[in-house]
Amino acid sequence: MVVGKPIFTVEQIQQRVRELAEMISKDYEGKNLLAVGILRGAFMFLSDLVRAIKVPLTVDFVIAASYMKEATTGEVKVYYDVREDVNDKDVLLIEDIVDTGITLNHIRERMLQKRPRSLKICAFLDKKERRVVDVPLDYTGFEIPNEFVVGYGLDYDNRYRNLPYIAVFRKSV
Ligand code: IMP
């Protein structure tokens, strides 16, 4: 198993996080921002992002995992849902990576049923060419090609999440 060279370095990640936080801070001025991190992968991105956002906010989490049966069908299991009442909140879902879109779409629809005041999505990485379900992304860190990546919260078999950069992962050389 091989972790390649960084495709996004610590500096590139931090720069992009600052840019996203600036956009979000502008858009959410005077609003009631609730940042909802989708765990486990988004923990690192969420913690960097909220520290760089300059408007008041609250934080909550959703813990979810998807299980692929076939390439186009996935079952999403939610292990923990937000505790905050979202009716008066401008919810921003924060995701590490969007691949088929199945996980995020499921969480988005579930959140919409709770009738938040508004709902937007911020995803750090977007593997656009893999998309099966169309899910609207309001803020995106980087688009990446169809490669499996690890680091900055992203895992292979729950490992490599602690790498401070993002690298391509291959099972064999
Ligand atoms: P989706 O439901 O197919 O969009 O998958 C989203 C989830 O799959 C992400 O939240 C990740 O947990 C995982 N995932 C997809 N691609 C990668 C990758 O390249 N590296 C690590 N995890 C990934």
Side-chain angles (χ1 to χ4, degrees):
M1 294 195 275
V2 182
V3 176
K5 280 192 188 147
I7 57 167
F8 298 112
T9 63
V10 172
E11 290 73 25
Q12 285 169 320
I13 291 170
Q14 295 311 323
Q15 170 65 26
R16 190 65 188 133
V17 168
R18 278 196 297 273
E19 289 167 6
L20 291 170
E22 209 167 291
M23 287 187 253
I24 293 166
S25 301
K26 256 187 213 153
D27 295 349
Y28 283 86
E29 203 157 330
K31 296 197 172 171
N32 196 3
L33 174 56
L34 170 62
V36 176
I38 302 174
L39 297 179
R40 286 177 274 184
F43 77 97
M44 208 175 274
F45 176 43
L46 174 116
S47 64
D48 281 348
L49 189 67
V50 295
R51 274 182 289 183
I53 293 176
K54 294 186 181 75
V55 293
L57 57 80
T58 47
V59 174
D60 207 338
F61 298 97
V62 170
I63 303 180
S66 63
Y67 301 92
M68 292 306 281
K69 287 179 177 164
E70 292 163 31
T72 54
T73 56
E75 204 169 281
V76 181
K77 192 160 180 202
V78 175
Y79 295 93
Y80 175 90
D81 207 348
V82 283
R83 283 171 61 193
E84 291 281 310
D85 184 0
V86 302
N87 291 154
D88 61 339
K89 304 286 191 325
D90 296 295
V91 173
L92 181 63
L93 288 176
I94 298 172
E95 176 64 306
D96 52 356
I97 186 165
V98 191
D99 187 25
T100 63
I102 291 170
T103 310
L104 195 51
N105 186 57
H106 181 93
I107 292 167
R108 177 177 178 270
E109 297 207 327
R110 196 180 162 107
M111 185 61 79
L112 282 174
Q113 283 172 8
K114 299 179 196 287
R115 303 197 164 279
R117 194 154 73 185
S118 68
L119 179 61
K120 283 190 180 185
I121 297 174
C122 177
F124 194 60
L125 299 178
D126 181 6
K127 263 193 222 176
K128 218 172 196 165
E129 65 189 82
R130 289 262 304 159
R131 201 72 90 254
V132 172
V133 183
D134 193 20
V135 55
L137 302 184
D138 299 281
Y139 309 95
T140 307
F142 299 104
E143 262 184 44
I144 61 164
N146 183 16
E147 299 259 27
F148 197 86
V149 292
V150 294
Y152 198 58
L154 290 156
D155 73 305
Y156 171 77
D157 205 14
N158 209 17
R159 294 171 65 201
Y160 309 109
R161 291 190 196 275
N162 59 318
L163 294 176
Y165 53 84
I166 292 169
V168 172
F169 176 82
R170 292 203 178 89
K171 280 190 192 168
S172 53
V173 203

